[in-house]
Amino acid sequence: VAGLGASLGVFLTEFQGLYVPDAEDRSDPTGSGLQPLVNTCTSGSDLPLNGVLGIDDRRNNSLGGSAAVNLTPAPIGYCRPTDVSGGMVLMGQLQYNNVLGTPISVKPTLIVSHGLQGMSPSPIGQWRQGVGSAALSFNFEYLSKWQASLAYRAYHGPDIRTKNKDRDHVSVSVSYAF
């Protein structure tokens, strides 16, 4: 922290795991006789007769591209939750007091969230393997009365697993306490 010239540094890590017994047994919509769990793909289906409705078949085209381009077969249950899923969240923050000899404090913060394994069933889990986000923010404080924040969040992951990939956003706020 001192090498970066900061007054304070915080680094937090969180690893989460989720075990849902028999989730994969419910992932085979053709064999178990149970109602399959919620689809984890953003489009298409792995249910039988999806071609009749003109829905992309996730069993025959795992990445969602044209069948002529991508002939990789996906296993039954490709779009369904797994028994085991998990991910991580990393957060790092530095605090700089009296920036340039002024009564201004600056706190740059980086937060990274990433799915490491499997696909969690909804609504009890959020993890999708390879899907996540990264956020960078700068919080400013002046005389403990004025506060301002500038933040940017970017989402990443394969198109087939995340609806947020093209929804990056920026936020700005200013507040005064009296």
Side-chain angles (χ1 to χ4, degrees), residues 62-147:
S62 65
L63 299 178
S66 164
V69 175
N70 180 10
L71 299 175
T72 307
I76 290 175
Y78 176 75
C79 289
R80 303 293 162 179
T82 57
D83 288 352
V84 177
S85 59
M88 64 154 191
V89 178
L90 303 175
M91 182 268 217
Q93 181 182 72
L94 296 173
Q95 181 174 334
Y96 296 92
N97 296 324
N98 302 323
V99 175
L100 301 173
T102 65
I104 297 174
S105 295
V106 179
K107 293 180 186 174
T109 305
L110 177 66
I111 301 173
V112 177
S113 174
H114 188 74
L116 298 174
Q117 178 181 357
M119 287 148 317
S120 303
S122 179
I124 60 174
Q126 66 181 11
W127 301 115
R128 305 279 183 267
Q129 185 171 341
V131 174
S133 67
L136 177 63
S137 66
F138 293 91
N139 298 305
F140 303 91
E141 186 176 309
Y142 177 71
L143 295 176
S144 297
K145 293 203 180 263
W146 285 95
Q147 293 183 347

